Amino acid sequence: MVSTSFMEQHPKGCHKKASLGCSAPAPFPSLPSEVRIVTFDANNLDTQDITPVVLCGGAGTRLWPLSRQHFPKQFAPIIGDKSLLQLTLERVAKLNISDQRSVICVASETHRFLVAEALDQSGVEGTVLLEPVARNTAAAMTLAALHAKPDTALLFCPADHYIPDTAAFTTMVRDAIVELDDSVIITFGVVPTAPSTAYGYIEMPPPGEKHTARPVSRFIEKPDVTRAHQLIAQGNVLWNAGIFLCRANALLNAMQQHAPDILEQCRRSMQVAAVDKLFVRPDKDTFSACRSESIDYAVMEHHSNIRVVPFNGIWSDVGSWNAVADLTTADTHGNRVEGDGHFVHASNTYIHAPCRPVVALGTQNLIIIDTPDAVLVTTREHVEQVKHVVAELDRKGRSHVAFHRKVARPWGWYDSIDAGDRFQVKRICVKPGASLSLQKHHHRAEHWIVVKGTAEVTRGQETFLLTENQSTYIPIGEIHRLHNPGKTALEMIEVQSGSYLGEDDIVRLEDSYGRITEKN
Amino acid sequence: MVSTSFMEQHPKGCHKKASLGCSAPAPFPSLPSEVRIVTFDANNLDTQDITPVVLCGGAGTRLWPLSRQHFPKQFAPIIGDKSLLQLTLERVAKLNISDQRSVICVASETHRFLVAEALDQSGVEGTVLLEPVARNTAAAMTLAALHAKPDTALLFCPADHYIPDTAAFTTMVRDAIVELDDSVIITFGVVPTAPSTAYGYIEMPPPGEKHTARPVSRFIEKPDVTRAHQLIAQGNVLWNAGIFLCRANALLNAMQQHAPDILEQCRRSMQVAAVDKLFVRPDKDTFSACRSESIDYAVMEHHSNIRVVPFNGIWSDVGSWNAVADLTTADTHGNRVEGDGHFVHASNTYIHAPCRPVVALGTQNLIIIDTPDAVLVTTREHVEQVKHVVAELDRKGRSHVAFHRKVARPWGWYDSIDAGDRFQVKRICVKPGASLSLQKHHHRAEHWIVVKGTAEVTRGQETFLLTENQSTYIPIGEIHRLHNPGKTALEMIEVQSGSYLGEDDIVRLEDSYGRITEKN
């Protein structure tokens, strides 16, 4: 018998996208899924609806230099052209049969515009709960559960996992929803394909009756190589993927039982939360006082009513450069490339080269990551220690830990393409309809040359249009604003000239994004 | 007894520079030199004068990506801030006691302005013999010998060797000059410090009478490892450094005897050579018909009257990335760095990082070369195969084989800092007093913003000055010229806008450098 998916049982045309194949290569062999009949209550669509909660708070330190503090890996186009967050949003937006498409994102205040951008690009409506400080997954998930209605089915999932088969993912989650009650927490475990030491494991009792969700014997932390082999040999283990499904009140009850202090701080911070369009801001002081704990430690390892659903599709936590490399097809010498990489007498080498040619000559078991302003070369054995590199550069005060050369802004981005004594050059892109703040600078003049699209320039009392191959000049101290009135992106070259060129030389008089008091 | 150098015997103050120490670290242990008394004829200074002939024709393929077709390694600042050619010119300019400071350079037509620039920067007067095509060292040296007066003592030396101890080098050459007659060719051999397979060897008979120059038993090609160990064990061998001293007629006589065809083609091409300021251009067709042969094969291996003088100072042919790495001081883990390199758990790794941070994590025996537009990562074992990389990229039609992002011009340089659809951005530097050609473009307009110094701009019928933070616009088809009238370098940002932006969209109406017909 062939596998029967949820989609095939409800061929009403409303979920066409869910059956789209994935063109990404399969790094793991896909196991045949069990064939089951799904119980589905067509009269109770509301309670079958799922509100996805996308956890966007990861730091992604192990993927430096592509992932940086102000632009962690979930926002980066690591696989293909879309960011992991956008891929995640597009995947979870297809979970419901009803028109319910809205998601809750939990993210750092620092990354709010990156999340808004991803929501926009994926065409998903969302609310973004902004963590004033990072307090790990227990607090992040609690914020979302407090924000939702008590009986809402919530699917918590990290923003930075790679799960190319959306149809298989949808089927898995929809199959599990029938198991939900006011107490159970369902976790999804990936059927392991290798004795990996990179993941924690979930142990199940031997299979009994044929339920979608099975009991959890225990959670096992990342093992060493020997233990990993033992676990695979013993069977009945899954990789802990950190994906959870439960009703909001089930999580809150579990938090009350196992981590009441965290629940209390979250509740107090949400009671006075400020709402600003799609952003919800829990109170900073109250939330900051919250204990930082993972949901595994805080709840899952102690909770009695946890069940696990196996997932045997392609899955990666994209947790290291080895994991990224393994998502790319290898040539006959085991070499893999993303971008402009070249191999001569090399083997088992991965090159990430988005912006210029990178050549590996005679290398073995090597990872080479090029970015416009920093290069990392590491052996495959050392990829887990990339965080040491970040720590070392941070100790040396290098900005490359926090920022890319190209910086995202709510209105678009800028790329610092050159700099010298008393000048710097930026390429600036403004999205259609977007505006920079009305601003002035005390220490720099600016020359603007439009190279693509149309700019509406406010300079002092004047407002005028500039198109491709036109330019203007903003003297020091002059109030100005740049707006894109068009339907296509505006790009321009800005040459700054002056004695001080720091981003913080800005006086914002008006801003569409609430950044009046921000100094960069 | 302490070593007695030429400088110490002639402490007349005219050679102070020659005794300057070298701050570069010593990669090889320096052997004590033999102590000898130099016979020096103060009444015959003229015949004691040496005309250095600097051979600038090397391709430097093995040092890609720093060395490229249009900017080979001899022109690159590989060690410190000065190019190998400039270091060579400064070294050989100190050979004479008299005021004779002029040198002959033999170089490719393509590199003529690079040689002129190096002559200018090193303060040395020179004639540059321009090879219309590359025909190896026999022809190059013959051109120089034909250009010089017959009895001139010529010191032939490659432009791309690193010899930090100028005083020791000067002493060696001056000591050898007394041995010159109308027939002898003296070569200098480096006392080997390791069984290198990277160099050819010169074998001498066992020492007899104490002469500065000793007979040559034979030349030995680059050996394999076993043979190299045998040679070092047997003793009486030196590394062939490709440095020769002889009178011009001695070389011509040797050429007549061993390679009369090469001599004849060179003679005919020099008879109708065109002189253009410091450049001398042998006839292209005649020279092109010349056989391409190294001086070793053409003459040295067959000539009877060859003597060799040992050199026991620091010497490197800078012939591979290993050789470059070895010129840099290693840390306790054997790591070496030039520029912004960082090591975490790495050993025996070399990083060349002139423009951005490059991090090596856990690597061993690795070489990492970063440039603004290409990256090479190679094992130390594979450095001799960098030429395969160049061949591979050439096959793929990549411009990185020939050009750097930053391109030298007789008036200064330009650096292509950004490009997109229908635009590109360059940073342009014009040397004091220099001018670009009077020109126009059919397909592009240009926006110029001065960021340093002063520009004199000709635009149509106007001529005006621009200083820092001022700009102008050159419409498509408008005749224009950029000149630096100041005493300091002029730098400006140029934004080109148009449908075609190739370098060959240029109509030159006037040019200070004889490039009217050139299309780039």
Side-chain angles (χ1 to χ4, degrees):
Chain A
M1 271 178 80
V2 291
S3 166
T4 308
S5 80
F6 176 75
M7 288 306 127
E8 290 168 73
Q9 292 172 62
H10 301 274
K12 292 171 187 163
C14 61
H15 277 278
K16 272 184 187 163
K17 279 187 177 173
S19 62
L20 283 175
C22 171
S23 62
F28 311 121
S30 190
L31 302 184
S33 59
E34 285 182 64
V35 178
R36 288 172 305 92
I37 302 301
V38 175
T39 41
F40 178 72
D41 182 1
N43 297 318
N44 191 12
L45 267 180
D46 277 356
T47 61
Q48 298 278 356
D49 272 355
I50 292 167
T51 297
V53 179
V54 180
L55 303 168
C56 308
T61 312
R62 285 179 299 177
L63 292 194
W64 186 89
L66 199 68
S67 180
R68 305 192 190 181
Q69 283 167 15
H70 284 259
F71 198 78
K73 71 168 182 178
Q74 54 270 31
F75 304 110
I78 289 178
I79 302 139
D81 293 336
K82 294 178 178 177
S83 71
L84 291 169
L85 173 57
Q86 188 178 342
L87 291 171
T88 300
L89 290 169
E90 291 177 2
R91 181 168 60 249
V92 299
K94 297 179 182 119
L95 284 173
N96 292 324
I97 304 159
S98 75
D99 289 337
Q100 208 290 92
R101 292 280 178 280
S102 69
V103 304
I104 299 171
C105 292
V106 189
S108 160
E109 172 80 24
T110 317
H111 305 140
R112 66 191 185 281
F113 297 120
L114 296 172
V115 177
E117 170 88 4
L119 284 165
D120 188 48
Q121 288 181 338
S122 54
V124 174
E125 275 179 38
T127 302
V128 188
L129 306 182
L130 296 175
E131 298 169 289
V133 291
R135 286 295 178 264
N136 214 327
T137 46
M141 289 168 62
T142 303
L143 289 181
L146 288 165
H147 180 74
K149 282 189 290 184
D151 63 344
T152 314
L154 300 175
L155 179 78
F156 297 94
C157 53
D160 55 359
H161 287 187
Y162 180 66
I163 305 170
D165 190 344
T166 298
F169 178 79
T170 305
T171 303
M172 171 184 78
V173 176
R174 298 272 355 155
D175 285 4
I177 198 172
V178 297
E179 311 261 351
L180 288 189
D181 58 28
D182 282 354
S183 157
V184 71
I185 299 175
I186 293 173
T187 182
F188 299 91
V190 178
V191 177
T193 53
S196 174
T197 59
Y199 308 127
Y201 285 72
I202 299 171
E203 188 178 314
M204 306 170 290
E209 49 181 332
K210 232 172 168 49
H211 262 293
T212 298
R214 291 167 59 184
V216 169
S217 299
R218 60 184 171 129
F219 287 85
I220 300 164
E221 289 194 51
K222 289 180 187 178
D224 60 22
V225 178
T226 313
R227 182 83 184 106
H229 277 91
Q230 286 171 351
L231 288 169
I232 297 295
Q234 104 185 17
N236 292 317
V237 291
L238 300 168
W239 289 332
N240 183 357
I243 306 175
F244 304 98
L245 178 69
C246 64
R247 300 218 178 265
N249 53 5
L251 183 78
L252 297 177
N253 290 338
M255 288 298 296
Q256 180 63 48
Q257 187 181 348
H258 305 293
D261 58 322
I262 296 177
L263 174 62
E264 179 58 18
Q265 291 301 128
C266 288
R267 194 188 300 276
R268 286 175 54 203
S269 72
M270 282 298 279
Q271 274 165 353
V272 290
V275 179
D276 169 17
K277 295 175 186 163
L278 74 168
F279 300 123
V280 177
R281 290 187 173 87
D283 178 64
K284 183 172 180 177
D285 291 343
T286 326
F287 189 77
S288 300
C290 193
R291 182 156 55 94
S292 182
E293 194 68 275
S294 77
I295 195 70
D296 285 354
Y297 282 120
V299 171
M300 302 305 163
E301 295 182 5
H302 317 294
H303 200 54
S304 57
N305 195 3
I306 293 193
R307 299 179 78 82
V308 62
V309 172
F311 178 61
N312 57 21
I314 296 165
W315 170 86
S316 169
D317 74 343
V318 198
S320 71
W321 280 118
N322 278 341
V324 174
D326 290 343
L327 291 172
T328 310
T329 310
D331 69 13
T332 52
H333 302 286
N335 296 318
R336 300 160 194 266
V337 64
E338 181 85 26
D340 199 1
H342 307 263
F343 302 97
V344 181
H345 310 311
S347 61
N348 200 24
T349 293
Y350 172 70
I351 297 179
H352 178 91
C355 51
R356 74 188 129 232
V358 174
V359 184
L361 170 60
T363 60
Q364 292 185 327
N365 303 317
L366 207 69
I367 302 260
I368 306 170
I369 311 299
D370 184 40
T371 68
D373 63 345
V375 183
L376 171 71
V377 180
T378 173
T379 68
R380 271 188 171 266
E381 290 71 32
H382 286 81
V383 290
E384 294 291 328
Q385 292 164 52
V386 171
K387 55 192 172 191
H388 297 177
V389 169
V390 173
E392 172 70 5
L393 291 175
D394 200 23
R395 194 182 61 74
K396 291 176 176 172
R398 302 304 294 266
S399 65
H400 304 79
V401 169
F403 298 100
H404 280 278
R405 204 186 78 165
K406 183 171 168 179
V407 176
R409 285 285 187 247
W411 42 260
W413 51 259
Y414 68 82
D415 187 3
S416 300
I417 58 176
D418 199 11
D421 186 31
R422 294 176 55 83
F423 77 94
Q424 75 176 313
V425 188
K426 290 180 176 178
R427 181 167 165 190
I428 291 175
C429 178
V430 186
K431 293 186 283 192
S435 294
L436 280 70
S437 46
L438 182 71
Q439 58 188 253
K440 64 178 181 178
H441 311 291
H442 291 309
H443 303 289
R444 68 177 186 250
E446 294 174 349
H447 299 258
W448 294 352
I449 299 109
V450 173
V451 294
K452 190 177 291 178
T454 300
E456 183 188 283
V457 176
T458 302
R459 189 183 60 176
Q461 299 305 310
E462 307 170 272
T463 296
F464 51 92
L465 293 180
L466 291 182
T467 60
E468 188 178 309
N469 194 27
Q470 294 185 323
S471 67
T472 191
Y473 173 66
I474 313 290
I476 290 179
E478 182 71 279
I479 289 171
H480 60 279
R481 177 168 226 161
L482 179 62
H483 169 62
N484 179 357
K487 301 291 184 195
T488 60
L490 156 69
E491 287 193 28
M492 59 169 230
I493 302 299
E494 174 182 272
V495 181
Q496 301 179 350
S497 180
S499 54
Y500 177 78
L501 302 169
E503 282 299 313
D504 56 349
D505 173 22
I506 187 166
V507 179
R508 287 199 171 95
L509 306 163
E510 210 179 291
D511 185 69
S512 315
Y513 312 99
R515 301 172 303 156
I516 286 287
T517 57
E518 290 182 32
K519 276 296 184 190
N520 60 60
Chain B
M1 271 179 81
V2 290
S3 166
T4 307
S5 81
F6 175 75
M7 288 306 128
E8 290 169 71
Q9 292 172 63
H10 301 275
K12 292 171 186 164
C14 63
H15 277 278
K16 272 183 186 164
K17 281 187 177 175
S19 61
L20 283 174
C22 171
S23 62
F28 311 122
S30 190
L31 302 184
S33 59
E34 284 182 65
V35 178
R36 287 172 304 92
I37 302 301
V38 175
T39 41
F40 177 72
D41 182 0
N43 296 319
N44 192 13
L45 267 179
D46 277 354
T47 60
Q48 298 277 356
D49 271 357
I50 292 167
T51 297
V53 178
V54 180
L55 304 168
C56 309
T61 312
R62 286 180 298 177
L63 292 195
W64 186 89
L66 200 67
S67 180
R68 305 193 190 180
Q69 283 167 15
H70 284 259
F71 198 78
K73 69 169 184 180
Q74 55 270 30
F75 305 110
I78 289 178
I79 302 140
D81 294 335
K82 294 179 179 177
S83 71
L84 290 169
L85 173 57
Q86 189 179 342
L87 291 171
T88 299
L89 289 169
E90 290 178 2
R91 181 169 60 250
V92 299
K94 296 178 183 120
L95 283 172
N96 292 323
I97 304 159
S98 76
D99 288 337
Q100 208 289 93
R101 292 279 176 281
S102 69
V103 303
I104 299 170
C105 293
V106 189
S108 160
E109 173 80 23
T110 317
H111 305 139
R112 65 192 185 282
F113 297 120
L114 296 172
V115 177
E117 170 89 4
L119 283 165
D120 188 49
Q121 288 182 337
S122 54
V124 174
E125 275 179 38
T127 301
V128 188
L129 306 183
L130 295 175
E131 299 168 289
V133 291
R135 286 294 179 265
N136 214 327
T137 45
M141 288 167 64
T142 303
L143 289 183
L146 288 165
H147 179 75
K149 282 189 291 184
D151 64 343
T152 314
L154 300 176
L155 179 79
F156 297 94
C157 53
D160 55 359
H161 287 187
Y162 180 67
I163 305 170
D165 189 345
T166 297
F169 178 79
T170 304
T171 304
M172 171 184 78
V173 176
R174 298 273 354 156
D175 285 3
I177 198 172
V178 297
E179 310 260 353
L180 289 190
D181 58 29
D182 282 354
S183 158
V184 71
I185 298 175
I186 293 173
T187 182
F188 299 91
V190 178
V191 177
T193 53
S196 174
T197 59
Y199 308 127
Y201 285 72
I202 299 171
E203 188 177 317
M204 306 170 288
E209 50 180 331
K210 232 176 167 47
H211 262 294
T212 297
R214 292 165 60 182
V216 170
S217 298
R218 59 183 172 129
F219 287 85
I220 300 164
E221 289 193 50
K222 289 181 187 177
D224 60 22
V225 178
T226 314
R227 182 84 184 105
H229 276 90
Q230 287 170 351
L231 288 168
I232 297 295
Q234 104 185 18
N236 292 318
V237 291
L238 301 168
W239 288 333
N240 182 357
I243 307 174
F244 305 98
L245 179 69
C246 63
R247 300 218 177 266
N249 53 6
L251 184 77
L252 297 177
N253 290 339
M255 288 298 296
Q256 180 62 48
Q257 188 181 348
H258 306 292
D261 59 321
I262 295 177
L263 175 62
E264 178 58 17
Q265 291 301 128
C266 289
R267 195 187 300 275
R268 287 174 53 202
S269 72
M270 282 299 278
Q271 275 165 353
V272 290
V275 178
D276 169 17
K277 295 176 186 161
L278 74 167
F279 300 123
V280 176
R281 290 187 172 84
D283 178 65
K284 184 172 179 177
D285 291 344
T286 328
F287 189 77
S288 299
C290 192
R291 181 157 57 93
S292 183
E293 195 67 276
S294 78
I295 194 70
D296 284 355
Y297 281 119
V299 172
M300 302 305 163
E301 296 182 4
H302 317 294
H303 201 54
S304 57
N305 194 3
I306 293 192
R307 299 180 77 82
V308 62
V309 172
F311 178 61
N312 57 22
I314 296 165
W315 170 86
S316 169
D317 75 342
V318 197
S320 72
W321 281 117
N322 278 341
V324 174
D326 290 342
L327 291 171
T328 311
T329 311
D331 69 11
T332 51
H333 301 288
N335 295 319
R336 301 159 195 267
V337 65
E338 181 84 28
D340 199 2
H342 306 264
F343 302 97
V344 180
H345 310 312
S347 61
N348 200 25
T349 294
Y350 172 70
I351 297 179
H352 177 90
C355 50
R356 72 187 128 233
V358 175
V359 184
L361 170 60
T363 60
Q364 293 185 326
N365 302 317
L366 207 68
I367 301 262
I368 306 170
I369 311 299
D370 184 40
T371 68
D373 63 345
V375 183
L376 171 71
V377 180
T378 173
T379 69
R380 272 188 170 264
E381 290 72 31
H382 286 80
V383 290
E384 294 291 327
Q385 293 163 51
V386 172
K387 56 192 171 191
H388 297 176
V389 170
V390 173
E392 172 70 4
L393 290 176
D394 199 23
R395 194 182 62 74
K396 291 176 176 172
R398 302 304 294 265
S399 65
H400 304 79
V401 169
F403 297 100
H404 280 277
R405 205 186 79 165
K406 183 171 167 178
V407 176
R409 285 286 187 248
W411 42 261
W413 50 260
Y414 69 82
D415 187 3
S416 300
I417 57 176
D418 198 11
D421 186 31
R422 296 175 53 84
F423 77 93
Q424 74 176 313
V425 188
K426 289 180 176 179
R427 181 166 164 189
I428 291 174
C429 178
V430 186
K431 293 186 282 192
S435 295
L436 280 71
S437 45
L438 182 71
Q439 60 189 249
K440 64 178 180 178
H441 312 290
H442 292 308
H443 303 288
R444 68 176 187 253
E446 294 176 348
H447 299 258
W448 294 352
I449 298 110
V450 173
V451 294
K452 191 177 290 179
T454 300
E456 183 187 284
V457 177
T458 301
R459 189 182 62 176
Q461 299 305 311
E462 306 172 272
T463 296
F464 51 91
L465 294 179
L466 291 182
T467 60
E468 187 179 310
N469 194 26
Q470 294 185 322
S471 67
T472 191
Y473 172 66
I474 313 290
I476 290 180
E478 182 71 280
I479 289 170
H480 59 280
R481 178 167 225 160
L482 179 62
H483 169 63
N484 179 357
K487 302 291 184 195
T488 60
L490 157 68
E491 287 193 28
M492 58 170 229
I493 302 299
E494 174 181 272
V495 181
Q496 301 180 351
S497 180
S499 55
Y500 177 77
L501 302 169
E503 282 298 313
D504 56 349
D505 173 22
I506 187 167
V507 179
R508 287 198 171 94
L509 307 162
E510 211 179 292
D511 185 68
S512 314
Y513 312 99
R515 301 172 304 156
I516 285 287
T517 57
E518 291 183 30
K519 276 296 184 188
N520 60 59

